Structures are given as structure tokens and as C-alpha cells.
Amino acid sequence: MRHLYVHIPFCPKVCPYCSFYKEASDRNKTQAFLDAVLLELDTFGSAGIQPHTIFFGGGTPSALSTRQLDYLIRGLRDRLDLSALREWTLEMNPATVSEEKAELLLSLGVNRISMGVQAWQSDLLARLGRVHSATQALRSYQILRQAGFRRINLDLIFGIPGQTPAQWQESLLQTINLGPEHISAYCLTYEEDTEFFRQLAIGQLSQDEFQDADLFEMTMDTLTRYGYSQYEISNYALPGEECLHNLAYWSGNDYLGLGPSAFSMVSGHRWQNISNTSSYVEQIERGGNAHSFSESLSLETRLSEKIVFGLRMNQGIAEELLMPWSANVQDLEDAGYLQRRAGTISLSRSGRMVADAIGEVFV
Ligand SMILES: C[S@@+](CC[C@H](N)C(=O)[O-])C[C@H]1O[C@@H](n2cnc3c(N)ncnc32)[C@H](O)[C@@H]1O
Ligand code: SF4
């Protein structure tokens, strides 16, 4: 088990577009949640686990207080063999960054921060229901750098209702100016069970797919021009700064996920924990697991998933994996969506524009 994910389901405030499992921070629940995560880890014989990467995602891990982060991270450190650890990422919201927190995280071994900036314009931040201002995002970035974080990712979103191409260009350039090692640029998706989805359904919001495609092209052009290589559809990194945890996940490696809603994949077996913090804590405290579903993946499903995820990465996948679909591959190559290169097949630039549809061919 080389890759460990911990889901922290708390946020300072819930954003109307987001479908990750989260709830508004609740002080009464947090200690029991932290103990449950450590207890869940113990059920896997934690001493034998030697992770190469750890990823604290959410929700908002930085919504935990400095004391709570200290408790959780020390709990993990006491249990795991960290001698092979290369990357420990923690997601932060700019509203929950402090000098004290940043210094503690660094001193306990967290060596990479991923922070959700989304946009640098106050009207767009308000549209997204974010709790922080652009000034606060800038200050938080500086706090992280001054504390000594050398690897930082900033998340951005394009396709925000009301966002103009000029604003997106400005967001990209302002982000590049700060020089983070990694930039994730996501197209806004209207996820079911979100407030934005409801507003889209009743016509209060509208989506301009043609503009979204233009903004995606602008993203690829701008970021690559400044030295960020697009190693996955939505992820760009300076040389050698790719996120190792996500690369492992997209390459189909095993990973263990702790916390409510977390997925795990171990030896062809996949499960997801229940997406409810109170039920998760109760089930773990009772000594059981907290799975909401589990499945054994057939070889065909594992192959399909490897292809779908592999094609999202610019390194592509080995040509021989696509043998069963050779006719489809030829058609997609002729249409200019796929390209062959030294025994690998990857999406061309126009293929990246329709990656989801291409993925479906191989499911
Ligand atoms: C778990 S959050 C990151 C940390 C922190 N919770 C925050 O929002 O600042 C992961 C990222 O997913 C992206 N995201 C969430 N919902 C999205 C959506 N519906 N469409 C596109 N990107 C989304 C945002 O860029 C967000 O920063
Ligand atoms: S985008 Fe981040 S802060 Fe907003 S609800 Fe989702 S996880 Fe929480």
C-alpha cells in the first residue's frame, strides 16, 4: 500500500457548485472523527504500511485547527513507516491558512500544499460563494511560501457564470506571476445535488460550451507558454513537479482511503466509505468497517479504467493495451483525436477537448 488518502469532510462554508462530500465545520464532531480515522487505519495493520505518497483532501483539511491537525498527523506518524515517503499533500482553503498552521504542517512532514484560489476577481469569487477574497488568497500564498513550502498547487476554475475570456486570461497570468510549481485548471461542472445544478435546471444559470472550449484552449496555450506542461487534462506542472499521488491514482496503482466517502482500491477490490460523518464514526467505533459499497473488478473493467485514466494523461498508454479496440483507435486517429508516439497512444490537442466522449469508446 503505497498511496494513502485521508478525507477531511469539513469546510468553512459549503460552496454552491461543489459535490465533494463535506459539511460545514462542527466542533462537536471533530475529535470523534479524528479518532475514527486513526482507528480505521489501525484496522489495516498500520505498522506494515509504508506510503510513498499521502494526500489529505476534502472537504477542506485546513478547516481543522492547528491543534487538531497536530493530533491527526502525529497519530499517523506514530502508526506508519514513513521512511519511503516522497510527497505529503494537504488541501487548503485560503480562508483557513495561518502562519502557525503552515509552520506546524511543514515541521510534521507535509511538503506540498494544494490551495483553492478559483479566480482572482471579487465578482467571480462572490458568484462561486467563496469565503475568501482575492487579497486573502494572495496573503495565504505568501504565508505558505514564507513558512517554507517549496511545492504549491493552486486550483482555478473556468466557465464560471459571467466570467469573460479577459478575466480568465487575467486569472491565469496572475497565477503564473506567483510562480506556483503546479496549477490545476478545472472547467466548472454542474454536478447533481448542488445548488448550481438546480439553478441551471430552472434556467437561472446557463452554460456556454463554446466559450468553455475557447477558455480551455486559452488555458493550454497560456500555461504551456510559461513553462507549465499539461500532464493531465486539467493539471499543469513545472518540470518534475507533477503530483505523484494523482499520477499513481491515474496509473491504476492501489491506494487506501480513510474517512467518510473515501474510495480505496486494493488488489482488484474497490470500496467506498459511507458519505456521512456521524455514521462513519459510529461504524468505526463499533469495530466494523464503514463501507457503503464494495466490488471486485473484473479484468475487463480494470483494463477499461486504465485506458480511460491513462488517456487523460499526456504520456498516454501503451499501444498494446488498446489492441481489442484497434478499429476504434484507427478511426479516432484518422479523425485527429488520437496520436501515436513511440509505442504509446495519447490524445491530440483536439482529442483533449472531447476527452470524456473518447473515454466512453473504451468502456
Ligand atoms: C477539495 S477542493 C480544494 C480545497 C478547498 N476545499 C477549497 O475549495 O479551497 C478541490 C477543488 O476542486 C475544484 N472543484 C470543486 N467543485 C468543482 C466543480 N463543480 N467544477 C470544477 N471544479 C470544481 C475546485 O477548484 C477546488 O479547489
Ligand atoms: S470547493 Fe472546497 S471549500 Fe468549497 S465546498 Fe468544495 S471542498 Fe468545501
Side-chain angles (χ1 to χ4, degrees):
M1 204 87 67
R2 293 186 170 166
H3 308 285
L4 181 67
Y5 174 79
V6 181
H7 190 84
I8 313 290
F10 307 115
C11 288
K13 177 180 164 259
V14 168
C15 307
Y17 55 87
C18 174
S19 68
F20 288 105
Y21 172 62
K22 77 277 162 191
E23 44 187 79
S25 301
D26 175 352
R27 253 187 250 165
N28 299 324
K29 275 191 186 172
T30 320
Q31 187 56 42
F33 160 77
L34 299 175
D35 286 324
V37 168
L38 296 175
L39 204 55
E40 189 187 12
L41 177 58
D42 287 336
T43 64
F44 294 98
S46 49
I49 303 179
Q50 194 189 48
H52 291 196
T53 69
I54 302 178
F55 196 104
F56 275 27
T60 305
S62 60
L64 296 175
S65 67
T66 307
R67 196 191 57 74
Q68 290 160 345
L69 284 166
D70 184 73
Y71 182 83
L72 181 61
I73 295 175
R74 280 185 203 280
L76 253 68
R77 293 195 67 93
D78 290 345
R79 287 166 173 78
L80 297 166
D81 172 359
L82 295 182
S83 57
L85 190 72
R86 293 180 60 196
E87 180 185 279
W88 190 337
T89 303
L90 186 135
E91 288 187 329
M92 299 187 104
N93 177 303
T96 52
V97 174
S98 69
E99 258 167 61
E100 193 197 12
K101 222 177 258 184
E103 280 162 15
L104 173 95
L105 292 172
L106 202 61
S107 72
L108 290 178
V110 175
N111 57 12
R112 185 173 182 274
I113 295 294
S114 177
M115 186 167 77
V117 169
Q118 325 305 2
W120 289 106
Q121 300 79 12
S122 49
D123 57 326
L124 297 181
L125 290 172
R127 194 82 196 74
L128 290 173
R130 299 291 292 176
V131 272
H132 58 87
S133 63
T135 315
Q136 199 172 11
L138 178 61
R139 209 172 51 231
S140 296
Y141 181 81
Q142 287 162 344
I143 289 174
L144 294 170
R145 280 294 192 219
Q146 273 154 20
F149 279 102
R150 203 202 55 72
R151 300 185 71 203
I152 299 182
N153 166 60
L154 298 180
D155 287 336
L156 296 175
I157 297 184
F158 64 92
I160 303 167
Q163 183 184 38
T164 63
Q167 282 179 314
W168 178 236
Q169 180 73 0
E170 181 186 65
S171 280
L172 287 170
L173 293 176
Q174 225 158 303
T175 305
I176 291 165
N177 250 335
L178 294 177
E181 287 66 32
H182 190 289
I183 298 174
S184 299
Y186 301 109
C187 181
L188 179 71
T189 45
Y190 289 83
E191 307 274 2
E192 264 180 69
D193 296 330
T194 63
E195 178 56 22
F196 268 24
F197 184 83
R198 193 189 66 77
Q199 290 180 15
L200 184 71
I202 59 171
Q204 277 179 4
L205 288 179
S206 60
Q207 194 177 12
D208 182 345
E209 285 173 3
F210 292 103
Q211 177 165 300
D212 289 352
D214 288 345
L215 299 187
F216 182 45
E217 295 226 54
M218 185 190 283
T219 312
M220 293 190 280
D221 289 341
T222 310
L223 292 178
T224 48
R225 192 176 339 123
Y226 286 91
Y228 290 87
S229 100
Q230 183 187 25
Y231 70 102
E232 195 267 351
I233 299 276
S234 308
N235 287 282
Y236 303 78
L238 294 179
E241 297 294 346
E242 295 83 3
C243 173
L244 299 177
H245 185 85
N246 284 341
L247 275 178
Y249 174 69
W250 295 322
S251 306
N253 294 357
D254 282 358
Y255 54 91
L256 179 63
L258 305 175
S261 83
F263 280 93
S264 298
M265 170 81 136
V266 181
S267 309
H269 202 69
R270 176 163 47 205
W271 66 89
Q272 185 184 19
N273 282 345
I274 188 162
S275 299
N276 179 307
T277 307
S278 302
S279 309
Y280 165 80
V281 170
E282 270 166 37
Q283 284 174 232
I284 296 290
E285 277 176 352
R286 256 193 260 129
N289 65 50
H291 300 175
S292 63
F293 91 89
S294 67
E295 59 182 346
S296 283
L297 300 184
S298 65
L299 280 178
E300 290 77 25
T301 309
R302 290 177 80 176
L303 177 60
S304 281
E305 293 191 358
K306 206 176 164 71
I307 291 169
V308 171
F309 282 114
L311 279 178
R312 291 182 64 88
M313 292 191 286
N314 281 20
Q315 67 191 41
I317 44 177
E319 217 172 312
E320 69 247 21
L321 286 181
L322 290 168
M323 291 284 267
W325 292 273
S326 52
N328 304 80
V329 168
Q330 194 58 55
D331 289 348
L332 289 166
E333 195 185 356
D334 293 344
Y337 292 126
L338 291 181
Q339 59 195 14
R340 278 174 217 263
R341 206 173 34 195
T344 63
I345 293 189
S346 58
L347 293 177
S348 65
R349 187 181 164 96
S350 49
R352 276 178 235 149
M353 311 285 295
V354 288
D356 289 344
I358 293 180
E360 277 173 28
V361 172
F362 304 103
V363 175

